[in-house]
Amino acid sequence: MTFQTSEQFMYQGKKLLSNNCPLAQHPHAPEFLTVTSMCRRGYNGTWRIKDHQLYLIKLDAYIKHPTAVHGRRVFNLEDESDDFCFKIIDVPMAVNASLKDVFPEAKDGKLFADWFSGDINFGQGKGDDQGMASAYPKYLTLRFEKGILVNEIVRTYEEVFPPKTMEQRMEALLKSPPIRIGLSRIYKSK
């Protein structure tokens, strides 16, 4: 598993990093395409919290090219024969897209995150390397309701990430969306 790039948040004059992704709750967000294992969500967002409101202010994303597709050879893993098989599939090409490309309704270079309700956690202090992730003794948690900051608390690691049973982990894994990786061509938007 590869370390994932973090979302950036500007809050009270500081740049904070989090692996929480408010954009994942947007009801009309396009399908973002993964072009690197370092960013499986297919985008990097920069956010600003100003006057208790959450705004998306910058987006570097990869979305499907509107018309271009190409055939790609892949292993046929469903065939149980001893033959080495390929099948041709259509894979959409990715185009690099900005905030304005993805959300034309963004005004003055920002998009109010009125779709987002939930917590965003920021590690505080020195992180403890946990293999492919870091754990912090304390987390600053900002709680939002429809894009409005309603609470700010400091919590321990155990409060943010309560221990899970193996059954709970498997259930969460089965509910997670599939990941599209391996796109070979990227186009820059104009």
Side-chain angles (χ1 to χ4, degrees):
M1 183 107 182
T2 306
F3 274 111
Q4 295 297 295
T5 58
S6 299
E7 295 285 278
Q8 295 182 28
F9 295 82
M10 308 304 173
Y11 181 58
Q12 296 180 340
K14 296 178 186 170
K15 180 170 92 172
L16 304 173
L17 302 175
S18 178
N19 288 326
N20 297 113
C21 304
L23 190 53
Q25 289 186 18
H26 194 290
H28 304 294
E31 178 185 351
F32 296 107
L33 301 177
T34 301
V35 294
T36 174
S37 63
M38 289 176 30
C39 187
R40 292 204 168 117
R41 66 187 174 278
Y43 67 88
N44 284 309
T46 302
W47 304 80
R48 174 167 286 130
I49 302 158
K50 184 176 180 182
D51 299 326
H52 292 86
Q53 295 183 328
L54 178 63
Y55 294 96
L56 179 60
I57 60 170
K58 183 179 178 190
L59 184 65
D60 184 18
Y62 293 94
I63 59 175
K64 289 181 184 176
H65 188 282
T67 58
V69 293
H70 68 283
R72 188 162 159 232
R73 294 181 187 269
V74 297
F75 294 107
N76 184 353
L77 301 176
E78 297 173 9
D79 189 352
E80 295 182 12
S81 71
D82 291 334
D83 296 331
F84 191 64
C85 298
F86 287 97
K87 87 178 157 182
I88 304 295
I89 62 169
D90 288 329
V91 177
M93 291 191 196
V95 60
N96 186 245
S98 68
L99 176 63
K100 199 69 171 164
D101 296 329
V102 176
F103 300 106
E105 67 273 20
K107 292 183 174 81
D108 300 321
K110 61 185 179 182
L111 181 67
F112 176 52
D114 60 353
W115 67 86
F116 178 71
S117 293
D119 293 346
I120 301 174
N121 299 298
F122 306 98
Q124 305 287 293
K126 184 174 169 38
D128 178 24
D129 187 13
Q130 299 287 317
M132 295 311 267
S134 292
Y136 295 88
K138 300 279 183 192
Y139 286 82
L140 170 64
T141 298
L142 302 181
R143 182 159 294 152
F144 293 87
E145 293 290 334
K146 296 183 179 178
I148 305 292
L149 178 62
V150 296
N151 197 7
E152 176 180 333
I153 56 175
V154 175
R155 302 190 298 170
T156 65
Y157 176 85
E158 291 78 16
E159 291 171 314
V160 174
F161 304 105
K164 293 182 179 179
T165 65
M166 184 57 77
E167 290 81 17
Q168 290 170 322
R169 290 180 185 166
M170 289 303 294
E171 184 178 325
L173 179 63
L174 292 172
K175 288 181 181 177
S176 64
I179 298 171
R180 294 186 66 141
I181 58 175
L183 299 170
S184 59
R185 255 189 221 160
I186 299 170
Y187 290 96
K188 279 284 204 193
S189 63
K190 294 180 181 178

